[in-house]
PDB file of all heavy atoms in Angstrom:
ATOM      1  N   PRO A   5     116.841 113.405 110.838  1.00  0.00           N
ATOM      2  CA  PRO A   5     116.527 112.420 111.709  1.00  0.00           C
ATOM      3  C   PRO A   5     115.610 112.814 112.819  1.00  0.00           C
ATOM      4  O   PRO A   5     115.765 113.944 113.464  1.00  0.00           O
ATOM      5  CB  PRO A   5     117.973 112.155 112.335  1.00  0.00           C
ATOM      6  CG  PRO A   5     118.900 112.560 111.208  1.00  0.00           C
ATOM      7  CD  PRO A   5     118.222 113.687 110.539  1.00  0.00           C
ATOM      8  N   GLY A   6     114.621 112.041 113.097  1.00  0.00           N
ATOM      9  CA  GLY A   6     113.573 112.276 114.108  1.00  0.00           C
ATOM     10  C   GLY A   6     112.411 113.057 113.797  1.00  0.00           C
ATOM     11  O   GLY A   6     111.343 112.861 114.433  1.00  0.00           O
ATOM     12  N   GLN A   7     112.527 113.887 112.604  1.00  0.00           N
ATOM     13  CA  GLN A   7     111.374 114.578 112.340  1.00  0.00           C
ATOM     14  C   GLN A   7     110.179 113.779 111.878  1.00  0.00           C
ATOM     15  O   GLN A   7     109.063 114.052 112.306  1.00  0.00           O
ATOM     16  CB  GLN A   7     111.761 115.484 111.181  1.00  0.00           C
ATOM     17  CG  GLN A   7     112.599 116.763 111.577  1.00  0.00           C
ATOM     18  CD  GLN A   7     113.025 117.658 110.335  1.00  0.00           C
ATOM     19  OE1 GLN A   7     113.080 117.021 109.204  1.00  0.00           O
ATOM     20  NE2 GLN A   7     113.169 118.926 110.539  1.00  0.00           N
ATOM     21  N   ALA A   8     110.484 112.820 111.135  1.00  0.00           N
ATOM     22  CA  ALA A   8     109.264 111.979 110.578  1.00  0.00           C
ATOM     23  C   ALA A   8     108.577 111.259 111.705  1.00  0.00           C
ATOM     24  O   ALA A   8     107.315 111.127 111.764  1.00  0.00           O
ATOM     25  CB  ALA A   8     109.793 110.802 109.664  1.00  0.00           C
ATOM     26  N   ASP A   9     109.296 110.790 112.716  1.00  0.00           N
ATOM     27  CA  ASP A   9     108.705 110.092 113.935  1.00  0.00           C
ATOM     28  C   ASP A   9     107.764 111.097 114.706  1.00  0.00           C
ATOM     29  O   ASP A   9     106.609 110.685 114.997  1.00  0.00           O
ATOM     30  CB  ASP A   9     109.789 109.512 114.872  1.00  0.00           C
ATOM     31  CG  ASP A   9     109.215 108.594 115.922  1.00  0.00           C
ATOM     32  OD1 ASP A   9     108.016 108.443 115.835  1.00  0.00           O
ATOM     33  OD2 ASP A   9     110.038 108.002 116.636  1.00  0.00           O
ATOM     34  N   VAL A  10     108.277 112.312 114.802  1.00  0.00           N
ATOM     35  CA  VAL A  10     107.534 113.291 115.580  1.00  0.00           C
ATOM     36  C   VAL A  10     106.250 113.775 114.739  1.00  0.00           C
ATOM     37  O   VAL A  10     105.131 113.815 115.399  1.00  0.00           O
ATOM     38  CB  VAL A  10     108.371 114.589 115.889  1.00  0.00           C
ATOM     39  CG1 VAL A  10     107.507 115.745 116.525  1.00  0.00           C
ATOM     40  CG2 VAL A  10     109.517 114.301 116.731  1.00  0.00           C
ATOM     41  N   VAL A  11     106.454 113.912 113.496  1.00  0.00           N
ATOM     42  CA  VAL A  11     105.355 114.361 112.657  1.00  0.00           C
ATOM     43  C   VAL A  11     104.219 113.127 112.633  1.00  0.00           C
ATOM     44  O   VAL A  11     103.000 113.391 112.791  1.00  0.00           O
ATOM     45  CB  VAL A  11     105.737 114.509 111.213  1.00  0.00           C
ATOM     46  CG1 VAL A  11     104.529 114.610 110.193  1.00  0.00           C
ATOM     47  CG2 VAL A  11     106.617 115.799 111.022  1.00  0.00           C
ATOM     48  N   ARG A  12     104.618 111.984 112.607  1.00  0.00           N
ATOM     49  CA  ARG A  12     103.604 110.825 112.594  1.00  0.00           C
ATOM     50  C   ARG A  12     102.855 110.822 113.948  1.00  0.00           C
ATOM     51  O   ARG A  12     101.652 110.576 113.946  1.00  0.00           O
ATOM     52  CB  ARG A  12     104.399 109.566 112.314  1.00  0.00           C
ATOM     53  CG  ARG A  12     103.377 108.327 112.398  1.00  0.00           C
ATOM     54  CD  ARG A  12     104.096 107.005 112.201  1.00  0.00           C
ATOM     55  NE  ARG A  12     105.154 106.696 113.272  1.00  0.00           N
ATOM     56  CZ  ARG A  12     105.802 105.597 113.299  1.00  0.00           C
ATOM     57  NH1 ARG A  12     105.623 104.668 112.381  1.00  0.00           N
ATOM     58  NH2 ARG A  12     106.648 105.314 114.198  1.00  0.00           N
ATOM     59  N   SER A  13     103.552 111.151 115.052  1.00  0.00           N
ATOM     60  CA  SER A  13     103.050 111.109 116.407  1.00  0.00           C
ATOM     61  C   SER A  13     101.961 112.174 116.434  1.00  0.00           C
ATOM     62  O   SER A  13     100.909 112.045 116.980  1.00  0.00           O
ATOM     63  CB  SER A  13     104.032 111.230 117.449  1.00  0.00           C
ATOM     64  OG  SER A  13     103.498 111.194 118.743  1.00  0.00           O
ATOM     65  N   VAL A  14     102.361 113.408 116.022  1.00  0.00           N
ATOM     66  CA  VAL A  14     101.444 114.562 116.092  1.00  0.00           C
ATOM     67  C   VAL A  14     100.205 114.321 115.178  1.00  0.00           C
ATOM     68  O   VAL A  14      99.028 114.621 115.536  1.00  0.00           O
ATOM     69  CB  VAL A  14     102.191 115.864 115.655  1.00  0.00           C
ATOM     70  CG1 VAL A  14     101.178 116.997 115.568  1.00  0.00           C
ATOM     71  CG2 VAL A  14     103.255 116.204 116.684  1.00  0.00           C
ATOM     72  N   LEU A  15     100.449 113.740 114.095  1.00  0.00           N
ATOM     73  CA  LEU A  15      99.271 113.514 113.166  1.00  0.00           C
ATOM     74  C   LEU A  15      98.367 112.464 113.694  1.00  0.00           C
ATOM     75  O   LEU A  15      97.132 112.503 113.459  1.00  0.00           O
ATOM     76  CB  LEU A  15      99.772 113.040 111.748  1.00  0.00           C
ATOM     77  CG  LEU A  15     100.436 114.139 110.886  1.00  0.00           C
ATOM     78  CD1 LEU A  15     100.949 113.504 109.525  1.00  0.00           C
ATOM     79  CD2 LEU A  15      99.418 115.227 110.453  1.00  0.00           C
ATOM     80  N   ALA A  16      98.853 111.613 114.553  1.00  0.00           N
ATOM     81  CA  ALA A  16      97.960 110.580 115.304  1.00  0.00           C
ATOM     82  C   ALA A  16      97.281 111.166 116.442  1.00  0.00           C
ATOM     83  O   ALA A  16      96.671 110.450 117.173  1.00  0.00           O
ATOM     84  CB  ALA A  16      98.904 109.429 115.639  1.00  0.00           C
ATOM     85  N   ARG A  17      97.528 112.504 116.726  1.00  0.00           N
ATOM     86  CA  ARG A  17      96.879 113.288 117.893  1.00  0.00           C
ATOM     87  C   ARG A  17      97.389 112.813 119.205  1.00  0.00           C
ATOM     88  O   ARG A  17      96.609 112.866 120.207  1.00  0.00           O
ATOM     89  CB  ARG A  17      95.332 113.064 117.727  1.00  0.00           C
ATOM     90  CG  ARG A  17      94.757 113.290 116.382  1.00  0.00           C
ATOM     91  CD  ARG A  17      94.968 114.678 115.812  1.00  0.00           C
ATOM     92  NE  ARG A  17      93.995 115.633 116.364  1.00  0.00           N
ATOM     93  CZ  ARG A  17      94.196 116.968 116.347  1.00  0.00           C
ATOM     94  NH1 ARG A  17      95.236 117.570 115.720  1.00  0.00           N
ATOM     95  NH2 ARG A  17      93.314 117.759 116.906  1.00  0.00           N
ATOM     96  N   ARG A  18      98.554 112.373 119.308  1.00  0.00           N
ATOM     97  CA  ARG A  18      99.228 111.916 120.414  1.00  0.00           C
ATOM     98  C   ARG A  18      99.959 113.139 121.093  1.00  0.00           C
ATOM     99  O   ARG A  18     100.601 113.866 120.341  1.00  0.00           O
ATOM    100  CB  ARG A  18     100.219 110.822 120.336  1.00  0.00           C
ATOM    101  CG  ARG A  18      99.496 109.438 120.011  1.00  0.00           C
ATOM    102  CD  ARG A  18     100.490 108.301 120.018  1.00  0.00           C
ATOM    103  NE  ARG A  18     101.338 108.363 118.923  1.00  0.00           N
ATOM    104  CZ  ARG A  18     102.349 107.402 118.741  1.00  0.00           C
ATOM    105  NH1 ARG A  18     102.581 106.403 119.516  1.00  0.00           N
ATOM    106  NH2 ARG A  18     103.134 107.507 117.598  1.00  0.00           N
ATOM    107  N   ASN A  19      99.986 113.274 122.411  1.00  0.00           N
ATOM    108  CA  ASN A  19     100.811 114.202 123.128  1.00  0.00           C
ATOM    109  C   ASN A  19     102.265 113.733 122.960  1.00  0.00           C
ATOM    110  O   ASN A  19     102.534 112.592 123.209  1.00  0.00           O
ATOM    111  CB  ASN A  19     100.400 114.224 124.696  1.00  0.00           C
ATOM    112  CG  ASN A  19      99.102 114.806 124.759  1.00  0.00           C
ATOM    113  OD1 ASN A  19      98.680 115.639 124.076  1.00  0.00           O
ATOM    114  ND2 ASN A  19      98.372 114.198 125.712  1.00  0.00           N
ATOM    115  N   THR A  20     103.101 114.586 122.435  1.00  0.00           N
ATOM    116  CA  THR A  20     104.422 114.237 122.048  1.00  0.00           C
ATOM    117  C   THR A  20     105.528 115.142 122.525  1.00  0.00           C
ATOM    118  O   THR A  20     105.342 116.348 122.665  1.00  0.00           O
ATOM    119  CB  THR A  20     104.594 114.315 120.489  1.00  0.00           C
ATOM    120  OG1 THR A  20     103.514 113.522 119.857  1.00  0.00           O
ATOM    121  CG2 THR A  20     105.927 113.812 120.086  1.00  0.00           C
ATOM    122  N   LEU A  21     106.531 114.511 123.124  1.00  0.00           N
ATOM    123  CA  LEU A  21     107.730 115.265 123.627  1.00  0.00           C
ATOM    124  C   LEU A  21     108.944 114.995 122.717  1.00  0.00           C
ATOM    125  O   LEU A  21     109.382 113.895 122.635  1.00  0.00           O
ATOM    126  CB  LEU A  21     108.053 114.973 125.129  1.00  0.00           C
ATOM    127  CG  LEU A  21     109.325 115.522 125.622  1.00  0.00           C
ATOM    128  CD1 LEU A  21     109.280 117.063 125.667  1.00  0.00           C
ATOM    129  CD2 LEU A  21     109.482 115.016 127.083  1.00  0.00           C
ATOM    130  N   ALA A  22     109.425 115.981 122.076  1.00  0.00           N
ATOM    131  CA  ALA A  22     110.487 115.785 121.100  1.00  0.00           C
ATOM    132  C   ALA A  22     111.818 116.409 121.738  1.00  0.00           C
ATOM    133  O   ALA A  22     111.918 117.642 122.048  1.00  0.00           O
ATOM    134  CB  ALA A  22     110.300 116.405 119.731  1.00  0.00           C
ATOM    135  N   ILE A  23     112.878 115.545 121.972  1.00  0.00           N
ATOM    136  CA  ILE A  23     114.164 116.076 122.476  1.00  0.00           C
ATOM    137  C   ILE A  23     115.076 115.918 121.364  1.00  0.00           C
ATOM    138  O   ILE A  23     115.505 114.858 120.979  1.00  0.00           O
ATOM    139  CB  ILE A  23     114.609 115.187 123.646  1.00  0.00           C
ATOM    140  CG1 ILE A  23     113.515 115.140 124.754  1.00  0.00           C
ATOM    141  CG2 ILE A  23     115.980 115.718 124.245  1.00  0.00           C
ATOM    142  CD1 ILE A  23     113.765 114.114 125.809  1.00  0.00           C
ATOM    143  N   MET A  24     115.352 117.129 120.800  1.00  0.00           N
ATOM    144  CA  MET A  24     116.228 117.150 119.580  1.00  0.00           C
ATOM    145  C   MET A  24     117.278 118.246 119.734  1.00  0.00           C
ATOM    146  O   MET A  24     116.919 119.374 120.138  1.00  0.00           O
ATOM    147  CB  MET A  24     115.346 117.367 118.332  1.00  0.00           C
ATOM    148  CG  MET A  24     114.231 116.425 118.171  1.00  0.00           C
ATOM    149  SD  MET A  24     112.943 116.805 116.929  1.00  0.00           S
ATOM    150  CE  MET A  24     113.996 116.532 115.433  1.00  0.00           C
ATOM    151  N   PRO A  25     118.517 118.071 119.308  1.00  0.00           N
ATOM    152  CA  PRO A  25     119.539 119.049 119.511  1.00  0.00           C
ATOM    153  C   PRO A  25     119.337 120.317 118.654  1.00  0.00           C
ATOM    154  O   PRO A  25     118.561 120.281 117.688  1.00  0.00           O
ATOM    155  CB  PRO A  25     120.825 118.276 119.053  1.00  0.00           C
ATOM    156  CG  PRO A  25     120.365 117.195 118.169  1.00  0.00           C
ATOM    157  CD  PRO A  25     119.047 116.798 118.625  1.00  0.00           C
ATOM    158  N   THR A  26     119.964 121.302 119.101  1.00  0.00           N
ATOM    159  CA  THR A  26     119.913 122.619 118.305  1.00  0.00           C
ATOM    160  C   THR A  26     120.200 122.357 116.844  1.00  0.00           C
ATOM    161  O   THR A  26     121.165 121.683 116.476  1.00  0.00           O
ATOM    162  CB  THR A  26     120.932 123.652 118.821  1.00  0.00           C
ATOM    163  OG1 THR A  26     120.619 123.823 120.309  1.00  0.00           O
ATOM    164  CG2 THR A  26     120.855 124.989 118.092  1.00  0.00           C
ATOM    165  N   GLY A  27     119.446 122.851 115.946  1.00  0.00           N
ATOM    166  CA  GLY A  27     119.717 122.750 114.480  1.00  0.00           C
ATOM    167  C   GLY A  27     119.062 121.452 113.872  1.00  0.00           C
ATOM    168  O   GLY A  27     119.264 121.240 112.754  1.00  0.00           O
ATOM    169  N   ALA A  28     118.351 120.736 114.711  1.00  0.00           N
ATOM    170  CA  ALA A  28     117.623 119.441 114.181  1.00  0.00           C
ATOM    171  C   ALA A  28     116.435 119.692 113.422  1.00  0.00           C
ATOM    172  O   ALA A  28     115.836 118.771 112.871  1.00  0.00           O
ATOM    173  CB  ALA A  28     117.440 118.486 115.334  1.00  0.00           C
ATOM    174  N   GLY A  29     115.861 120.933 113.390  1.00  0.00           N
ATOM    175  CA  GLY A  29     114.673 121.197 112.640  1.00  0.00           C
ATOM    176  C   GLY A  29     113.356 120.942 113.442  1.00  0.00           C
ATOM    177  O   GLY A  29     112.407 120.357 112.859  1.00  0.00           O
ATOM    178  N   LYS A  30     113.361 121.404 114.636  1.00  0.00           N
ATOM    179  CA  LYS A  30     112.159 121.218 115.456  1.00  0.00           C
ATOM    180  C   LYS A  30     110.950 121.897 115.052  1.00  0.00           C
ATOM    181  O   LYS A  30     109.814 121.408 115.139  1.00  0.00           O
ATOM    182  CB  LYS A  30     112.390 121.594 116.957  1.00  0.00           C
ATOM    183  CG  LYS A  30     113.494 120.615 117.630  1.00  0.00           C
ATOM    184  CD  LYS A  30     113.631 120.978 119.179  1.00  0.00           C
ATOM    185  CE  LYS A  30     114.375 122.113 119.418  1.00  0.00           C
ATOM    186  NZ  LYS A  30     115.810 122.023 119.057  1.00  0.00           N
ATOM    187  N   SER A  31     111.034 123.009 114.386  1.00  0.00           N
ATOM    188  CA  SER A  31     109.942 123.865 113.924  1.00  0.00           C
ATOM    189  C   SER A  31     109.128 123.118 112.890  1.00  0.00           C
ATOM    190  O   SER A  31     107.869 123.176 112.781  1.00  0.00           O
ATOM    191  CB  SER A  31     110.459 125.240 113.433  1.00  0.00           C
ATOM    192  OG  SER A  31     111.211 125.176 112.385  1.00  0.00           O
ATOM    193  N   LEU A  32     109.776 122.378 111.998  1.00  0.00           N
ATOM    194  CA  LEU A  32     109.045 121.693 110.944  1.00  0.00           C
ATOM    195  C   LEU A  32     108.085 120.624 111.536  1.00  0.00           C
ATOM    196  O   LEU A  32     107.128 120.226 111.023  1.00  0.00           O
ATOM    197  CB  LEU A  32     109.959 120.995 109.947  1.00  0.00           C
ATOM    198  CG  LEU A  32     109.301 120.144 108.839  1.00  0.00           C
ATOM    199  CD1 LEU A  32     108.862 121.157 107.768  1.00  0.00           C
ATOM    200  CD2 LEU A  32     110.217 119.257 108.180  1.00  0.00           C
ATOM    201  N   CYS A  33     108.431 120.122 112.788  1.00  0.00           N
ATOM    202  CA  CYS A  33     107.670 119.036 113.433  1.00  0.00           C
ATOM    203  C   CYS A  33     106.303 119.469 113.697  1.00  0.00           C
ATOM    204  O   CYS A  33     105.373 118.694 113.964  1.00  0.00           O
ATOM    205  CB  CYS A  33     108.435 118.562 114.710  1.00  0.00           C
ATOM    206  SG  CYS A  33     109.994 117.761 114.321  1.00  0.00           S
ATOM    207  N   TYR A  34     106.028 120.847 113.914  1.00  0.00           N
ATOM    208  CA  TYR A  34     104.682 121.249 114.173  1.00  0.00           C
ATOM    209  C   TYR A  34     104.143 122.061 112.932  1.00  0.00           C
ATOM    210  O   TYR A  34     102.991 122.037 112.702  1.00  0.00           O
ATOM    211  CB  TYR A  34     104.589 122.151 115.323  1.00  0.00           C
ATOM    212  CG  TYR A  34     105.423 123.463 115.325  1.00  0.00           C
ATOM    213  CD1 TYR A  34     104.640 124.502 114.645  1.00  0.00           C
ATOM    214  CD2 TYR A  34     106.490 123.746 115.898  1.00  0.00           C
ATOM    215  CE1 TYR A  34     105.356 125.766 114.621  1.00  0.00           C
ATOM    216  CE2 TYR A  34     107.170 124.945 115.844  1.00  0.00           C
ATOM    217  CZ  TYR A  34     106.607 125.958 115.228  1.00  0.00           C
ATOM    218  OH  TYR A  34     107.220 127.279 115.148  1.00  0.00           O
ATOM    219  N   GLN A  35     104.900 122.599 112.144  1.00  0.00           N
ATOM    220  CA  GLN A  35     104.504 123.367 110.976  1.00  0.00           C
ATOM    221  C   GLN A  35     103.896 122.434 109.901  1.00  0.00           C
ATOM    222  O   GLN A  35     102.781 122.699 109.414  1.00  0.00           O
ATOM    223  CB  GLN A  35     105.568 124.204 110.331  1.00  0.00           C
ATOM    224  CG  GLN A  35     106.082 125.300 111.254  1.00  0.00           C
ATOM    225  CD  GLN A  35     107.356 126.061 110.627  1.00  0.00           C
ATOM    226  OE1 GLN A  35     107.791 125.695 109.730  1.00  0.00           O
ATOM    227  NE2 GLN A  35     107.727 127.104 111.353  1.00  0.00           N
ATOM    228  N   LEU A  36     104.563 121.304 109.653  1.00  0.00           N
ATOM    229  CA  LEU A  36     103.945 120.420 108.644  1.00  0.00           C
ATOM    230  C   LEU A  36     102.619 119.769 109.097  1.00  0.00           C
ATOM    231  O   LEU A  36     101.641 119.773 108.405  1.00  0.00           O
ATOM    232  CB  LEU A  36     105.047 119.303 108.427  1.00  0.00           C
ATOM    233  CG  LEU A  36     104.586 118.222 107.391  1.00  0.00           C
ATOM    234  CD1 LEU A  36     104.123 118.735 106.069  1.00  0.00           C
ATOM    235  CD2 LEU A  36     105.723 117.214 107.214  1.00  0.00           C
ATOM    236  N   PRO A  37     102.507 119.210 110.367  1.00  0.00           N
ATOM    237  CA  PRO A  37     101.192 118.729 110.725  1.00  0.00           C
ATOM    238  C   PRO A  37     100.157 119.727 110.806  1.00  0.00           C
ATOM    239  O   PRO A  37      99.047 119.454 110.465  1.00  0.00           O
ATOM    240  CB  PRO A  37     101.543 118.061 112.136  1.00  0.00           C
ATOM    241  CG  PRO A  37     102.932 117.771 112.204  1.00  0.00           C
ATOM    242  CD  PRO A  37     103.582 118.937 111.343  1.00  0.00           C
ATOM    243  N   ALA A  38     100.495 121.116 111.123  1.00  0.00           N
ATOM    244  CA  ALA A  38      99.510 122.064 111.237  1.00  0.00           C
ATOM    245  C   ALA A  38      98.881 122.297 109.846  1.00  0.00           C
ATOM    246  O   ALA A  38      97.714 122.828 109.783  1.00  0.00           O
ATOM    247  CB  ALA A  38     100.142 123.278 111.751  1.00  0.00           C
ATOM    248  N   VAL A  39      99.692 122.142 108.787  1.00  0.00           N
ATOM    249  CA  VAL A  39      99.120 122.404 107.511  1.00  0.00           C
ATOM    250  C   VAL A  39      98.146 121.278 107.053  1.00  0.00           C
ATOM    251  O   VAL A  39      97.154 121.562 106.402  1.00  0.00           O
ATOM    252  CB  VAL A  39     100.326 122.338 106.415  1.00  0.00           C
ATOM    253  CG1 VAL A  39      99.740 122.390 104.958  1.00  0.00           C
ATOM    254  CG2 VAL A  39     101.209 123.544 106.678  1.00  0.00           C
ATOM    255  N   LEU A  40      98.234 120.078 107.594  1.00  0.00           N
ATOM    256  CA  LEU A  40      97.481 119.039 107.252  1.00  0.00           C
ATOM    257  C   LEU A  40      96.255 118.814 108.214  1.00  0.00           C
ATOM    258  O   LEU A  40      95.287 118.148 107.885  1.00  0.00           O
ATOM    259  CB  LEU A  40      98.311 117.723 107.333  1.00  0.00           C
ATOM    260  CG  LEU A  40      99.507 117.675 106.337  1.00  0.00           C
ATOM    261  CD1 LEU A  40     100.400 116.521 106.587  1.00  0.00           C
ATOM    262  CD2 LEU A  40      98.924 117.524 104.908  1.00  0.00           C
ATOM    263  N   ILE A  41      96.202 119.487 109.322  1.00  0.00           N
ATOM    264  CA  ILE A  41      95.172 119.376 110.288  1.00  0.00           C
ATOM    265  C   ILE A  41      94.334 120.599 110.319  1.00  0.00           C
ATOM    266  O   ILE A  41      94.902 121.630 110.495  1.00  0.00           O
ATOM    267  CB  ILE A  41      95.727 118.937 111.730  1.00  0.00           C
ATOM    268  CG1 ILE A  41      96.586 117.744 111.713  1.00  0.00           C
ATOM    269  CG2 ILE A  41      94.525 118.837 112.691  1.00  0.00           C
ATOM    270  CD1 ILE A  41      97.276 117.485 113.068  1.00  0.00           C
ATOM    271  N   PRO A  42      93.162 120.522 110.205  1.00  0.00           N
ATOM    272  CA  PRO A  42      92.245 121.794 110.196  1.00  0.00           C
ATOM    273  C   PRO A  42      92.305 122.401 111.592  1.00  0.00           C
ATOM    274  O   PRO A  42      92.397 121.714 112.624  1.00  0.00           O
ATOM    275  CB  PRO A  42      90.766 121.245 109.845  1.00  0.00           C
ATOM    276  CG  PRO A  42      90.962 119.971 109.440  1.00  0.00           C
ATOM    277  CD  PRO A  42      92.210 119.397 109.891  1.00  0.00           C
ATOM    278  N   GLY A  43      92.332 123.849 111.663  1.00  0.00           N
ATOM    279  CA  GLY A  43      92.328 124.502 112.931  1.00  0.00           C
ATOM    280  C   GLY A  43      93.504 125.331 113.050  1.00  0.00           C
ATOM    281  O   GLY A  43      94.171 125.565 112.132  1.00  0.00           O
ATOM    282  N   THR A  44      93.607 125.763 114.319  1.00  0.00           N
ATOM    283  CA  THR A  44      94.725 126.842 114.662  1.00  0.00           C
ATOM    284  C   THR A  44      95.774 126.168 115.476  1.00  0.00           C
ATOM    285  O   THR A  44      95.376 125.479 116.443  1.00  0.00           O
ATOM    286  CB  THR A  44      94.097 127.985 115.377  1.00  0.00           C
ATOM    287  OG1 THR A  44      93.086 128.636 114.566  1.00  0.00           O
ATOM    288  CG2 THR A  44      95.198 128.995 115.745  1.00  0.00           C
ATOM    289  N   THR A  45      96.956 126.431 115.236  1.00  0.00           N
ATOM    290  CA  THR A  45      98.154 125.893 116.063  1.00  0.00           C
ATOM    291  C   THR A  45      98.631 127.038 116.866  1.00  0.00           C
ATOM    292  O   THR A  45      99.011 128.032 116.319  1.00  0.00           O
ATOM    293  CB  THR A  45      99.259 125.276 115.088  1.00  0.00           C
ATOM    294  OG1 THR A  45      98.750 124.155 114.446  1.00  0.00           O
ATOM    295  CG2 THR A  45     100.554 124.956 115.917  1.00  0.00           C
ATOM    296  N   VAL A  46      98.716 126.807 118.226  1.00  0.00           N
ATOM    297  CA  VAL A  46      99.194 127.791 119.168  1.00  0.00           C
ATOM    298  C   VAL A  46     100.646 127.376 119.543  1.00  0.00           C
ATOM    299  O   VAL A  46     100.855 126.315 119.985  1.00  0.00           O
ATOM    300  CB  VAL A  46      98.290 127.884 120.337  1.00  0.00           C
ATOM    301  CG1 VAL A  46      98.882 128.955 121.362  1.00  0.00           C
ATOM    302  CG2 VAL A  46      96.824 128.341 119.927  1.00  0.00           C
ATOM    303  N   VAL A  47     101.550 128.286 119.384  1.00  0.00           N
ATOM    304  CA  VAL A  47     102.978 128.094 119.760  1.00  0.00           C
ATOM    305  C   VAL A  47     103.241 128.944 120.865  1.00  0.00           C
ATOM    306  O   VAL A  47     103.224 130.150 120.836  1.00  0.00           O
ATOM    307  CB  VAL A  47     103.868 128.370 118.490  1.00  0.00           C
ATOM    308  CG1 VAL A  47     105.340 128.085 118.840  1.00  0.00           C
ATOM    309  CG2 VAL A  47     103.450 127.575 117.318  1.00  0.00           C
TER     310      VAL A  47
END
């Protein structure tokens, strides 16, 4: 829950704030878009 919405927002190049409880899988929300967008992701 919530991951797809965050991923879509990031892929649309929007500044995004994700408020998700512990264990909700926040890391995938940047790792997946980073694979699809050319360039370097800084964490």
Side-chain angles (χ1 to χ4, degrees):
Q7 286 180 326
D9 195 356
V10 177
V11 168
R12 181 178 63 176
S13 180
V14 173
L15 289 174
R17 315 296 283 165
R18 287 190 289 182
N19 295 320
T20 307
L21 172 60
I23 307 170
M24 304 168 72
T26 301
K30 291 188 282 290
S31 60
L32 182 75
C33 294
Y34 67 81
Q35 291 173 356
L36 176 55
V39 173
L40 297 168
I41 304 172
T44 300
T45 293
V46 178
V47 183

